[in-house]
Amino acid sequence: MSRVNESVLVRRLLAMQRNTSLAIANLEAEMLTLHQDPEALGKARRKLAIAQMRYSEVTCAILRVAEGSFGYCKLTSKRIDAETLLRNPASRFSREALEILRKRGYVEESV
């Protein structure tokens, strides 16, 4: 696959950031109603933590666009392939780097 239009990816990142922000707000509101159900509250807290991490990943990707390093692998400094960026515009690593990280045990196979 050829290089992807960066503006398309930026629009996707901004939409992801907005949607994740809304999810965080909804989870926080939901948690206010769950104080009597510890199990449901625990699940909501885990979902909130995941959403907050995702928000951080997307925000960092937007900052990489601003600084000119978007689309380059944080480990190898090589260009991240278009398929990977289309699948996850916030991706920080190339396929090659992910394989290295998997072999070292830093990344789970499902990532």
Side-chain angles (χ1 to χ4, degrees):
M1 182 177 271
S2 61
R3 286 178 74 167
V4 180
N5 185 337
E6 195 173 277
S7 65
V8 170
L9 294 174
V10 170
R11 284 195 300 274
R12 284 188 59 199
L13 285 167
L14 291 171
M16 290 166 71
Q17 186 183 45
R18 182 185 65 247
N19 292 340
T20 306
S21 178
L22 291 171
I24 289 169
N26 288 336
L27 285 164
E28 288 172 339
E30 179 184 339
M31 288 172 60
L32 294 174
T33 66
L34 297 175
H35 64 279
Q36 302 245 343
D37 186 350
E39 186 177 332
L41 184 58
K43 287 180 182 179
R45 283 184 177 146
R46 286 188 291 280
K47 286 181 183 178
L48 178 61
I50 290 167
Q52 289 170 329
M53 285 189 297
R54 184 63 178 159
Y55 184 85
S56 177
E57 290 171 356
V58 171
T59 300
C60 287
I62 292 168
L63 292 173
R64 288 194 303 274
V65 170
E67 68 185 22
S69 64
F70 176 78
Y72 289 92
C73 178
K74 290 290 196 182
L75 185 64
T76 65
S77 298
K78 294 179 181 175
R79 189 106 181 120
I80 299 172
D81 65 279
E83 186 177 329
T84 299
L85 288 173
L86 285 172
R87 189 173 57 247
N88 177 11
S91 183
R92 295 174 292 159
F93 301 109
S94 65
R95 288 184 196 189
E96 175 188 348
L98 283 173
E99 190 56 39
I100 292 168
L101 293 171
R102 280 188 190 103
K103 286 179 181 176
R104 294 181 183 172
Y106 294 116
V107 178
E108 293 179 14
E109 286 299 317
S110 61
V111 174

